[in-house]
Amino acid sequence: MKLTNQNKIYWPKEKITKGELVRYYKELAPYILPHLKNRPLSLNRHPNGITKPSFFQKDLNTDQIPSWIKYAALKSEHLDKKIDYLICNDEATLLWMANLGCIEINPWMSTYRKPDEPLFAVLDLDPHGVDFKDAVKVALTAKEVLDGLDIISFVKTSGSKGIHIVVPLQGYDYEVSKNFIHYVAGLVYEQHPDMTSLERSPSKRKNKIYLDYLQNRKGQTIVSPYSVRPKPEATVSTPLNWDEVNENLSISDFNINNIKERVAKVGDLWKDIYKVKNKIKKLLP
């Protein structure tokens, strides 16, 4: 594989180059790839860096990709046609993506082999004009709710503004996973009606934390653990221990320059996530 334009500046303020992004993904590949295995990807491409126009690409032009690139043709109900989604199961594909300008990595929550069966459900805490410390409070309430339901949960920074709380699953469809997270979000909202909202429209939830349960639908994506984000400081969506979710937590603490050191110290905090099989259907009202 040929890497191109490695000296191109992707983060002008921080002077971070495309080559540094590619190097990051090469070094973190062993930690990232387990969270991408067999999962269709949407490519968020920033070919000229974070301050220039970007675009999403779902459908690969299969006539123009290397012969070794793996992809899966999946039916789009919305478009009423098949879409050729990239599948990234190896380091070479990961670096090929980065070389295309894919700063961030956005996999489905299910695999192409079982596209209707999510590996996990997610509650996405999306602050909208709210102090991040309030998002931390809400995340800890969500943890208490899930603990009370005997549900094992995992947590990571989004790398952008919010916090992702993830519940590993097996054997459920998206409707069940969405309904479960909607139920959990309702319980969280009951404890924080002043600072949270289930309203999807940003204009109707100003200065509230959106308890987003609608990500739990087929074809929706969530940014991968250890994915860089096209944001200032080259922040990274980073798995956390729950005790790190406290008033000192900051999104900017985790970036392209320090994640290698972190994983060398703590390892992949999500390495066992796919071994956990939460039972949720019996909990639904």
Side-chain angles (χ1 to χ4, degrees), residues 123-127 135 138-139 142 161-165 209-212:
L123 177 60
D124 181 359
L125 305 184
D126 182 8
V138 172
K161 295 181 297 181
I163 296 173
H164 295 155
I165 299 167
I209 297 165
Y210 177 37
L211 303 171
D212 186 359

Side-chain angles (χ1 to χ4, degrees), residues 144-167:
E144 289 175 5
V145 167
L146 291 164
D147 286 350
L149 297 171
D150 290 326
I151 293 295
I152 298 171
S153 61
F154 292 74
V155 64
K156 68 181 177 75
T157 67
S158 71
S160 178
K161 295 181 297 181
I163 296 173
H164 295 155
I165 299 167
V166 168
V167 174

Side-chain angles (χ1 to χ4, degrees), residues 2 73 93 98 110 114 122 146 150-152 174 178 198-199 225 229 247 257 259-262 264 268 270 273 279-280:
K2 183 180 180 182
T93 304
S110 51
K114 294 182 178 180
V122 60
L146 291 164
D150 290 326
I151 293 295
I152 298 171
Y174 276 103
K178 182 185 73 175
L198 292 166
E199 178 60 58
R229 301 301 299 268
E247 62 181 12
N257 295 313
I259 296 301
K260 183 183 177 184
E261 180 182 353
R262 174 178 169 84
D268 178 13
W270 283 24
I273 191 170
K279 304 296 184 185
I280 62 170

Side-chain angles (χ1 to χ4, degrees), residues 28-220:
L28 270 291
Y31 300 95
I32 296 172
L33 290 172
H35 302 295
L36 305 180
K37 186 176 180 181
N38 290 335
R39 287 159 64 184
L41 299 175
S42 291
L43 310 184
N44 185 7
R45 296 177 60 178
H46 291 72
N48 295 301
I50 70 167
T51 61
K52 303 294 184 181
S54 63
F55 61 97
F56 270 96
Q57 179 183 3
K58 294 181 180 180
D59 202 359
L60 291 179
N61 187 333
T62 56
D63 295 331
Q64 297 181 4
I65 61 174
S67 60
W68 46 268
I69 291 290
K70 183 179 179 68
Y71 61 91
L74 296 173
K75 177 73 179 291
S76 168
E77 305 296 335
H78 173 63
L79 298 174
D80 194 30
K81 70 170 189 174
K82 286 196 171 181
I83 292 178
D84 293 317
Y85 285 94
L86 177 68
I87 306 295
C88 179
N89 289 351
D90 54 48
E91 180 186 296
T93 304
L94 185 62
L95 301 189
W96 180 78
M97 289 169 55
N99 194 60
L100 287 179
C102 294
I103 291 175
E104 70 179 21
I105 305 171
N106 297 286
W108 281 27
M109 284 171 265
S110 51
T111 68
Y112 76 92
R113 289 176 174 163
K114 294 182 178 180
D116 299 306
E117 187 178 309
L119 299 168
F120 53 82
V122 60
L123 177 60
D124 181 359
L125 305 184
D126 182 8
H128 191 75
V130 177
D131 192 304
F132 187 69
K133 287 183 172 56
D134 288 336
V136 167
K137 290 177 187 174
V138 172
L140 292 175
T141 296
K143 174 71 160 61
E144 289 175 5
V145 167
L146 291 164
D147 286 350
L149 297 171
D150 290 326
I151 293 295
I152 298 171
S153 61
F154 292 74
V155 64
K156 68 181 177 75
T157 67
S158 71
S160 178
K161 295 181 297 181
I163 296 173
H164 295 155
I165 299 167
V166 168
V167 174
L169 303 174
Q170 185 180 41
Y172 301 105
D173 62 22
Y174 276 103
E175 190 67 17
V176 172
S177 68
K178 182 185 73 175
N179 289 342
F180 175 71
I181 295 299
H182 191 185
Y183 171 60
V184 170
L187 297 176
V188 173
Y189 173 76
E190 287 176 3
Q191 296 194 45
H192 298 287
D194 55 331
M195 68 171 72
T196 65
S197 175
L198 292 166
E199 178 60 58
R200 191 177 187 190
S201 172
S203 64
K204 296 179 181 178
R205 54 177 165 87
K206 289 181 178 178
N207 302 318
K208 295 282 183 77
I209 297 165
Y210 177 37
L211 303 171
D212 186 359
Y213 62 92
L214 291 173
Q215 290 292 93
N216 298 284
R217 294 179 294 173
K218 182 179 177 181
Q220 295 293 304

Side-chain angles (χ1 to χ4, degrees), residues 264-282:
K265 183 178 179 181
V266 304
D268 178 13
L269 299 178
W270 283 24
K271 69 180 186 300
D272 294 327
I273 191 170
Y274 305 112
K275 297 177 183 177
V276 176
K277 313 298 181 189
N278 284 298
K279 304 296 184 185
I280 62 170
K281 199 165 188 178
K282 66 179 185 293

Side-chain angles (χ1 to χ4, degrees), residues 127 131-137 156-163 232-241 243-256 258-259 262:
D131 192 304
F132 187 69
K133 287 183 172 56
D134 288 336
V136 167
K137 290 177 187 174
K156 68 181 177 75
T157 67
S158 71
S160 178
K161 295 181 297 181
I163 296 173
E233 301 181 65
T235 47
V236 170
S237 182
T238 305
L240 304 170
N241 280 309
D243 60 9
E244 294 180 287
V245 183
N246 56 48
E247 62 181 12
N248 297 318
L249 180 64
S250 172
I251 295 284
S252 61
D253 286 343
F254 309 98
N255 58 65
I256 198 172
N258 60 22
I259 296 301
R262 174 178 169 84

